[in-house]
Amino acid sequence: MKEFIPVASPIIDENEARAVYDVVKSGWISMGKKVIEFEKLACDYIGVKHAIAMNNGTSTLHSLLLALDIGPGDEVIVPTLTYISSVNVILYVGATPVFCDNNPNTFNVDLEHIKEKISKNTKAFMTVDMKGQPVDYDKFCSLSQETGIPFISDSAESYGAVYKGNKIGDQALAHSFSFFANKNITTGEGGMVTTNDSKLATKLRIIRNQGQEGRYNHTLLGQNYRMTDVLASIGIEQFKRIDNILDRKVLIAKNYDSAFDQIDQITVPFVPNYIHRPSWYLYSISMDNDIRYKLIENFKKKNIDYRISFPPVHIQPYYVNLYNYNENDFPNAFFSYSTFLDIPIWAEMNQKKVDYIINAVLEITSN
Ligand SMILES: *Cc1c(COP(=O)(O)O)cnc(C)c1O
């Protein structure tokens, strides 16, 4: 196959183009009716009271910390195995990120990882649904209730995932989603917070809009984190596709699972029982480093894309300068990072491509 196979590929077609055309023609391209409609659709889909759309999935996390009045002297517990923005936002508000490790089998944090980091300065803890696999929310919600510490979720990768029969988005105090181009559904750039807490929702809307409460009456130090109607109109079309996209990804994952399960050298993603539908943002196989190297070489030869996505945040140069951590400080995170490989999974991938990728893996591991 000469054709390049990317790791992710959004579905965008005439429907999105037409929606954008209509918004542009209407003359109202900044935040307006389309954003409200986009938010309403998310509330209905997830079954949550409030959805607040923003310009990306980093602004949403930043706004959440602002809304919770977190600042200098406060600590926020966060897994180190995450995308940089989960941690950057803690620095944006002047608070201190307190890193925790992850379960190497799921890439996610377990309750114990968070628990052991709680101090008298802890003002919030954050979990991340890595690769689109939800954490065990009930446990973290109980911890939040017992301790009174707010629990927020970086669900950037898990829109549409189902936890114990319910869509992700109303388990924690608040969830942050991203609609960046490589996510399951996309507006190019975009984000959203969902919550059942009405006071928090109101405050987030004020923060999103320059701290404005009533026209030109600024009661908070806000941001300009508004989403535009142009992007919301794309999001509305994308929302119509979500279940089709995720169901197709589940099927591809099943293909991969059954092909790789037999192979000793490869570990397939572990999906705990409480996850009724992963959102398969990425499909990651784990293996020894030398096999990973060979596999990557074979993928390159065969024009198949792959990712060894982000290193844990504690070994990112900026954070090493700040805190001087090394790899061994969070051994599970470093182990996960050193052994996994994300392979292509996207809804419009046909069976021929899936089989081609499976063969590329088998070629390396079967001899
Ligand atoms: C994509 C992503 C984000 C941030 O999203 P942007 O919309 O790019 O700002 C945050 N956290 C995680 C885990 C992500 O995967």
Side-chain angles (χ1 to χ4, degrees), residues 10-79:
I11 306 181
I12 316 172
D13 64 19
E14 292 76 18
N15 294 331
E16 280 78 3
R18 219 169 288 125
V20 168
Y21 178 81
D22 289 344
V23 167
V24 172
K25 270 301 274 308
S26 80
W28 190 289
I29 56 173
S30 61
M31 190 167 74
K33 280 189 212 140
K34 288 291 167 187
V35 169
I36 294 169
E37 186 184 338
F38 185 45
E39 292 173 340
K40 171 92 177 42
L41 285 173
C43 289
D44 292 345
Y45 182 72
I46 291 167
V48 66
K49 280 192 196 144
H50 308 281
I52 304 98
M54 298 195 196
N55 58 345
N56 62 60
T58 306
S59 304
T60 46
L61 288 167
H62 184 206
S63 302
L64 269 171
L65 297 185
L66 290 171
L68 293 170
D69 290 319
I70 292 170
D74 297 337
E75 295 176 355
V76 178
I77 302 170
V78 63

Side-chain angles (χ1 to χ4, degrees), residues 166-180:
N166 297 309
K167 304 265 171 47
I168 289 304
D170 79 333
Q171 290 78 14
L173 170 64
H175 291 251
S176 165
F177 294 101
S178 165
F179 304 123
F180 180 66

Side-chain angles (χ1 to χ4, degrees), residues 278-294:
S279 75
W280 292 118
Y281 167 58
L282 291 166
Y283 186 96
S284 305
I285 49 179
S286 302
M287 71 218 83
D288 285 348
N289 219 337
D290 57 327
I291 296 191
R292 185 164 76 165
Y293 178 78
K294 283 185 202 151

Side-chain angles (χ1 to χ4, degrees), residues 206-271:
I206 295 169
I207 290 167
R208 168 180 68 178
N209 193 18
Q210 308 276 25
Q212 185 171 245
E213 210 173 337
R215 188 172 292 217
Y216 301 130
N217 180 47
H218 302 269
T219 55
L220 290 173
L221 182 62
Q223 309 285 330
N224 178 354
Y225 282 168
R226 294 182 299 252
M227 176 176 259
T228 69
D229 266 20
V230 177
L231 295 190
S233 73
I234 295 178
I236 290 164
E237 293 306 314
Q238 290 278 296
F239 273 178
K240 295 177 187 163
R241 306 179 185 277
I242 181 73
D243 286 317
N244 286 342
I245 289 175
L246 296 191
D247 290 344
R248 173 71 188 139
K249 282 184 144 187
V250 165
L251 222 70
I252 296 171
K254 278 202 181 119
N255 268 257
Y256 284 155
D257 281 347
S258 51
F260 303 146
D261 229 0
Q262 277 73 276
I263 305 171
D264 287 344
Q265 301 107 308
I266 288 192
T267 308
V268 298
F270 172 67
V271 181

